[in-house]
Amino acid sequence: MGFIPISIEKYIKKHMQNNPAENKSDLRKRLNSALLDYQNGVRCSCGNDIWVIGSAVAGNKCFNCITGERMPTDDYEIDSAMKKKANRKEQRHINDIKPSEINGFFDDEGYEMNAHLIQKPTLCLTCINNDDPHEELFCNLTRLDQQGEPEFVCFAYKKKQY
Ligand SMILES: [Zn+2]
């Protein structure tokens, strides 16, 4: 359940295949503007976060108000609109941290990421490395690298023996 994350470029490609008459640069402009609104905290009139992909077509509204459905099933959302921005205030920016103390993860905008907020793919749950604290850093880097990708691939994966 939930949105399928997709990058703006991939979504535009998909959308153009299904709607060849669409004006590509106009679509991109509307997506970027909806994404910017989302990141600025613009909400649907009902109070929910806006659905960027739907808002590019229907104006700034949430998934529920645009589709009338409660939960997305095979619907897409722009990946960068799916990362939680709510805890921003508690996050440190890389410019505010002494260089000697920088050792965590940072997002594209330079904010420190909480390692336990990194989504753990279900694949990891059956992997022996999941129980090894020494592997955690490497595992998190692999996960971080693929946040928003529909399929998780890990070359360090070793299936647990039960
Ligand atoms: Zn709404």
Side-chain angles (χ1 to χ4, degrees), residues 47-155:
N48 285 329
D49 284 334
I50 60 169
W51 175 35
V52 173
I53 282 178
S55 297
V57 177
N60 288 346
K61 293 192 189 81
C62 70
F63 178 81
N64 188 219
C65 290
I66 291 173
T67 65
E69 290 166 38
R70 280 185 62 80
M71 290 290 285
T73 42
D74 51 2
D75 301 282
Y76 291 95
E77 177 58 306
I78 301 302
D79 48 12
S80 52
M82 292 182 65
K83 292 175 195 152
K84 263 279 156 249
K85 303 261 173 190
N87 297 326
R88 193 57 107 203
K89 269 191 224 107
E90 292 158 29
Q91 283 178 295
R92 297 190 296 170
H93 194 268
I94 193 160
N95 293 341
D96 303 329
I97 306 174
K98 273 191 257 168
S100 59
E101 288 173 10
I102 295 174
N103 62 1
F105 299 105
F106 296 87
D107 65 20
D108 297 342
E109 289 161 47
Y111 286 91
E112 191 170 35
M113 291 177 74
N114 210 328
H116 69 250
L117 292 181
I118 300 171
Q119 273 177 18
K120 188 179 278 190
T122 44
L123 182 72
C124 301
L125 303 177
T126 61
C127 175
I128 54 169
N129 294 322
N130 192 36
D131 300 329
D132 186 346
H134 299 293
E135 294 295 330
E136 205 185 337
L137 178 67
F138 300 105
C139 294
N140 272 332
L141 282 172
T142 309
R143 289 174 198 135
L144 202 56
D145 221 37
Q146 297 180 56
Q147 294 281 292
E149 296 291 326
E151 206 174 338
F152 179 74
V153 183
C154 181
F155 295 106

